[in-house]
Each structure stands twice: as structure tokens, then as C-alpha cells.
Amino acid sequence: MKYLLQAEAIVPFILSVVLLNLLPVHFAWWAWILLFLAPDMGMIGYVINNKVGAFVYNLFHHQLVAVTVWGIGLLLQQPYVEMAGLILLGHSSLDRLLGYGLKRSEGFKFTHLGVMGQK
């Protein structure tokens, strides 16, 4: 089941990349890399404790949040808000594809996909 959950993440990842390329927003290639990695700043919550860390991290990696932000951007015709939602969606989908999931409050390595690093 874990591998099925990982494999299905490829669709929203590809969709987000395609839709990002259709937006009228342009940056240098290196800026896209920084923007794509920006959701990982959600790890900063782990400085406080595991519960806060998991909440903040999951806020930046939850696909419903990403789709909601993207939808708000579409409704308001704000390409930068659309971009933020699509970046969140693409980042979280790639994380799922690589086996990183939403965090549980037990600690960073405990995810909805299981314990990271265990087969």
C-alpha cells in the first residue's frame, strides 16, 4: 500500500509542473529551485517541539491546503497565488513520491507512510 500511495503522487506532481509553465510568471531557473524548496521551511517548527513541528510542516505539505491556495488564486485571478498553490502541490507530491509523508507528532521520521528509513 505504501508504494501505491507513493506512485499515485506522480500525477499531481506532473500536473503542477505543467500548470506552472502555463502561468504568466517568469523567474530565473535558479529561483524556481529555491521556490520549490521553500515549503521545507515548515521544519522550523521542530525547534519548538515535535507537536508544533508536525503541525507547521504538515500545513506546508498538505495537498488540500495546496489545492485551496491554487483555487483561491484562480478565483481571484492572481497568478502569484496560483503559483504558490502549485508549488506547494508539486513539492508535496514529490515528497510523497520519494517516500516522505505528512508528519506525526511522535517525531520527524514518523509519517503517514510509515517510519522513514524502514523497509
Side-chain angles (χ1 to χ4, degrees):
M1 181 60 92
K2 176 184 175 182
Y3 298 110
L4 179 62
L5 290 172
Q6 286 178 248
E8 73 180 7
I10 193 75
V11 173
F13 174 72
I14 292 171
L15 180 66
S16 67
V17 170
V18 168
L19 292 174
L20 275 168
N21 283 310
L22 296 176
L23 288 176
V25 178
H26 304 286
F27 290 103
W29 65 269
W30 57 267
W32 284 110
I33 294 170
L34 293 177
L35 288 169
F36 192 77
L37 295 174
D40 280 336
M41 290 186 339
M43 285 187 262
I44 197 81
Y46 282 98
V47 170
I48 298 171
N49 63 39
N50 285 340
K51 189 173 182 177
V52 171
F55 176 79
V56 174
Y57 183 91
N58 290 343
L59 184 64
F60 285 95
H61 288 81
H62 199 288
Q63 292 183 337
L64 182 59
V65 172
V67 171
T68 301
V69 170
W70 176 51
I72 290 170
L74 280 172
L75 287 173
L76 300 177
Q77 297 180 355
Q78 296 294 319
Y80 287 97
V81 177
E82 288 180 60
M83 179 188 74
L86 290 171
I87 286 172
L88 289 172
L89 181 62
H91 179 94
S92 63
S93 297
L94 185 61
D95 274 4
R96 303 287 194 297
L97 186 64
L98 297 175
Y100 301 104
L102 295 174
K103 305 301 180 198
R104 298 190 334 231
S105 59
E106 291 94 344
F108 185 79
K109 67 180 183 175
F110 298 93
T111 75
H112 82 286
L113 297 173
V115 179
M116 290 177 9
Q118 285 186 345
K119 297 269 179 189

